[in-house]
Amino acid sequence: MTYRLRLRYLLSTALILILASCAAPPKKKEEVVFYPPPPELPRLQYLTSFSSSKDVEEEQSALELFVVGKREPQAISKPYGVAIYDGKLYVCDTNVGVLIFDLKGKSFGFLKGARGPGKLIQPVNISIDADGVKYVTDPIRSQVVAFDRSDEYLTAYGLKEQWKPTNAVPFGDMLYVVDHENKAIRVFDKKSRELVRTLGDRGDQGERLSTPANIAFDKEGDLYVTDTGRFQVVKYDRDGHFKSAIGGLGDNLGQFARPRGIAIDRQGHIYVADAAFNNVQEFNKDGRLLLYFGEAGDGPGQFILPAQVIVDYDNLEYFRKYVQPGFEAENLIIVTSQLGSHLVSIFAGGKEQGKKYPGDEEVLQYLKELKQKALERSEKKEPWEEKGTEKSNAPGGPAESQQTK
């Protein structure tokens, strides 16, 4: 064997050994989770989650491994806001920046415009307009920073006085911004960047905001605000006229303890993430509970401090491979958790093929009956709880006295 052949053989052997030691194990397939669980008809399926760059990036090629070495994954640290547009998932990591999971290109990166005048300090929320403009709220910078369709810096919205923007959502020619500091919603003209009006800080006490967190619009243009101080979702028209409120403080179905993220689908159903209950509750357009999903935990479909929820109809194709046969997926529901190993959870809303699903009114009647049965059970007294009956007669207690009356 010549020197060149011997050298080529040694290099090839070394490359094989390197690849064998560096090859990443395949991602573990997660269990299938439906809500509500069987035997009820499923309405949502948990699909997958994102917690680091390795959840989107393809495995490195042999050549890349040999030339540049193993690529270290970029983990999500503390996510809050999330948005998806044209095959890209944008995650606001309050400790790191805006992370981009490119589902088309199977790559990972950062928001490239977030430098120079577009530099972000603590991005909390992100929303994306139909034209691809992204609005990122940064309460430490005290501005809403806009980036164009190509993710380059565009402009910024702010106020001279003290304020704390935590969520910004465009509607028509206006940009609606949650001002956490002043307990109000600020409305800016998108083009001029001028403040047009302020909502939620006037009227009767019952119509005012206390601690606004996040906002969303329905297709009619009504504005919904999660208010952690009121423990409610407050509904206004676009001019700030109070219309109604959903929920209240409590631990029963339809109530809240720490409402945060909010989203509204095409049917007018309202989704509210509660950081205390570690779930998402779904209401109809009249504010009546239809479903809740998720629970405290670090498994598939579970949450730890859920922060934001969004509904999307345009990017389902990138997740169809996770949908179970026989389940007809109609949209995506994406929920962020601030802790755990399932930080950005992806669900599909839909129906089981060939099954007749009850309408909203039938669901509401079913829930009403369940609630009534639970109430009756709680009010029913056991024999030892009846007036005049001694505690010692309770099962498991001391033996009943054998004395005759």
Side-chain angles (χ1 to χ4, degrees), residues 142 157-159 161-165 177 179 181-182 186 188:
S142 293
Y157 301 78
L159 296 174
E161 65 262 31
Q162 181 70 31
W163 77 314
K164 189 176 183 181
V177 184
D179 183 353
E181 180 79 15
N182 298 291
R186 307 285 193 161
F188 293 85

Side-chain angles (χ1 to χ4, degrees), residues 167 169 214-218 221-226 262-264 271:
N167 192 205
V169 176
N214 293 285
I215 56 177
F217 286 95
D218 63 19
D222 285 327
L223 174 67
Y224 294 74
V225 186
T226 51
I262 183 168
I264 302 174
Y271 300 79

Side-chain angles (χ1 to χ4, degrees), residues 182-186 198-205 207-210 212 223 225 227 230 234 236 239-242:
N182 298 291
K183 304 177 181 183
I185 307 299
R186 307 285 193 161
T198 301
L199 314 177
D201 61 343
R202 54 181 59 87
D204 296 337
Q205 191 64 36
E207 299 178 356
R208 295 187 180 190
L209 295 172
S210 173
L223 174 67
V225 186
D227 192 318
R230 291 180 53 142
V234 188
Y236 299 96
D239 293 323
H241 300 113
F242 176 86

Side-chain angles (χ1 to χ4, degrees), residues 254-325:
Q255 296 179 318
F256 302 113
R258 201 174 176 189
R260 282 186 168 183
I262 183 168
I264 302 174
D265 67 16
R266 290 176 179 173
Q267 292 178 278
H269 291 177
I270 305 154
Y271 300 79
V272 183
D274 195 306
F277 296 154
N278 291 299
N279 68 9
V280 175
Q281 298 187 76
E282 179 186 350
F283 300 83
N284 73 354
K285 60 183 179 180
D286 297 318
R288 302 176 70 181
L289 182 69
L290 296 173
L291 172 73
Y292 72 90
F293 62 95
E295 59 186 331
D298 196 24
Q302 298 176 331
F303 309 125
I304 304 177
L305 295 178
Q308 189 58 282
V309 55
I310 64 170
V311 178
D312 175 78
Y313 290 85
D314 300 324
N315 295 273
L316 183 58
E317 60 181 290
Y318 301 103
F319 299 95
R320 285 200 182 276
K321 63 182 179 181
Y322 301 105
V323 178
Q324 282 293 295

